[in-house]
Amino acid sequence: MRVLLVENGILAPTDVSGSESKELEDARNALKAAENGLNDNKNILNERAEDLAKDYGADDIFRALRGQCVSKDSGEYTYELCWLEQTKQISKKNHGQTTMGKFASIDTIMVDDELPADGKGLGSGQRVALRYENGQHCWNGPNRSTLVVLACAEKDEVWKVTEEEKCVYRMEVGTPAVCNVLEKKAETPRDEL
Ligand code: MAN
């Protein structure tokens, strides 16, 4: 009866024990592998599409800096800026790390600072600023946040870190990434030099 049904295409040709033929098993495994590969590629495609939709500043300039970090010792902490990722406060005593914000957005702000003789400062005019928000919660205060204000410099360097109010930090940072962005247009003491 079974043979008859198989011959007429009504039953699949499995053997009597019910186990699949080697060919069918191989084909099933190959299909599974192809499906896994397709899913992996779909995930990569989604990640790339999300990344392309993000704002990396004029000419996507900050994309190249992502993942790199610069740091500066100040008081009892080492402060670390990881471009487009997070800012951190690292205790010199116990090496405990506190997140001072995760990268949130790119902005422009006005500054009016005297430029130090060594040129390592913001000067005055419009500057690119990176906002880092929602860092580690501050006891009796907000979640920590950092405003990273940028000025043109030959190399990436944290110049100054201040805590403007409790758990609200400001970093002044030099980087070649903004040299062609705003400062060319702005009237700054730097242009006069
Ligand atoms: C830690 C640091 C300081 C902060 C206090 C707030 O000591 O993160 O910068 O002002 O916590 O309690």
Short mmCIF file of all heavy atoms in Angstrom, two decimals, residues 77 89 138 144 163 166-167 169, ligand 1:
data_model
loop_
_atom_site.label_atom_id
_atom_site.label_comp_id
_atom_site.label_asym_id
_atom_site.label_seq_id
_atom_site.Cartn_x
_atom_site.Cartn_y
_atom_site.Cartn_z
N TYR A 77 40.59 62.91 38.85
CA TYR A 77 40.08 62.02 37.78
C TYR A 77 40.87 62.12 36.49
O TYR A 77 41.53 63.13 36.22
CB TYR A 77 38.62 62.39 37.44
CG TYR A 77 37.68 62.27 38.59
CD1 TYR A 77 37.25 63.42 39.27
CD2 TYR A 77 37.20 61.04 39.00
CE1 TYR A 77 36.37 63.33 40.34
CE2 TYR A 77 36.31 60.94 40.07
CZ TYR A 77 35.90 62.09 40.73
OH TYR A 77 35.04 61.98 41.78
N GLN A 89 34.51 59.50 33.42
CA GLN A 89 35.32 60.03 34.50
C GLN A 89 35.94 58.82 35.18
O GLN A 89 35.21 57.93 35.62
CB GLN A 89 34.37 60.76 35.44
CG GLN A 89 34.95 61.60 36.49
CD GLN A 89 33.84 62.18 37.37
OE1 GLN A 89 32.92 61.46 37.75
NE2 GLN A 89 33.93 63.44 37.70
N CYS A 138 23.26 60.82 39.01
CA CYS A 138 24.00 61.55 40.02
C CYS A 138 23.15 61.59 41.29
O CYS A 138 21.98 61.97 41.23
CB CYS A 138 24.21 62.95 39.47
SG CYS A 138 25.16 64.04 40.45
N ARG A 144 24.17 62.22 34.58
CA ARG A 144 25.32 63.02 34.14
C ARG A 144 25.24 63.33 32.64
O ARG A 144 24.78 62.50 31.85
CB ARG A 144 26.62 62.29 34.47
CG ARG A 144 26.95 62.30 35.95
CD ARG A 144 28.17 61.46 36.26
NE ARG A 144 28.58 61.55 37.65
CZ ARG A 144 27.99 60.90 38.66
NH1 ARG A 144 26.97 60.10 38.41
NH2 ARG A 144 28.42 61.03 39.89
N GLU A 163 33.22 71.08 35.72
CA GLU A 163 31.89 70.63 36.13
C GLU A 163 31.09 71.90 36.39
O GLU A 163 31.23 72.54 37.42
CB GLU A 163 32.00 69.74 37.39
CG GLU A 163 30.71 69.03 37.72
CD GLU A 163 30.88 67.92 38.76
OE1 GLU A 163 32.01 67.46 39.02
OE2 GLU A 163 29.84 67.51 39.32
N LYS A 166 26.53 70.58 39.36
CA LYS A 166 26.69 69.19 39.79
C LYS A 166 26.32 68.20 38.69
O LYS A 166 25.18 68.18 38.21
CB LYS A 166 25.84 68.95 41.03
CG LYS A 166 26.20 67.69 41.76
CD LYS A 166 25.50 67.69 43.09
CE LYS A 166 25.44 66.32 43.68
NZ LYS A 166 24.61 66.30 44.87
N CYS A 167 27.31 67.44 38.25
CA CYS A 167 27.13 66.36 37.26
C CYS A 167 26.81 66.86 35.85
O CYS A 167 26.36 66.08 35.00
CB CYS A 167 26.11 65.35 37.74
SG CYS A 167 26.66 64.50 39.23
N TYR A 169 28.88 68.48 32.88
CA TYR A 169 30.28 68.71 32.57
C TYR A 169 30.44 69.42 31.22
O TYR A 169 29.56 69.35 30.35
CB TYR A 169 31.05 67.38 32.52
CG TYR A 169 30.89 66.57 33.78
CD1 TYR A 169 29.81 65.68 33.93
CD2 TYR A 169 31.78 66.70 34.83
CE1 TYR A 169 29.64 64.94 35.09
CE2 TYR A 169 31.63 65.95 36.00
CZ TYR A 169 30.56 65.08 36.12
OH TYR A 169 30.40 64.35 37.26
C1 MAN B 1 31.33 62.01 41.86
C2 MAN B 1 31.81 62.72 40.60
C3 MAN B 1 31.61 64.21 40.70
C4 MAN B 1 30.18 64.51 41.09
C5 MAN B 1 29.76 63.73 42.32
C6 MAN B 1 28.28 63.94 42.61
O1 MAN B 1 32.15 62.33 42.93
O2 MAN B 1 31.09 62.20 39.54
O3 MAN B 1 31.94 64.85 39.49
O4 MAN B 1 29.98 65.89 41.34
O5 MAN B 1 29.99 62.36 42.13
O6 MAN B 1 27.88 63.23 43.74
#
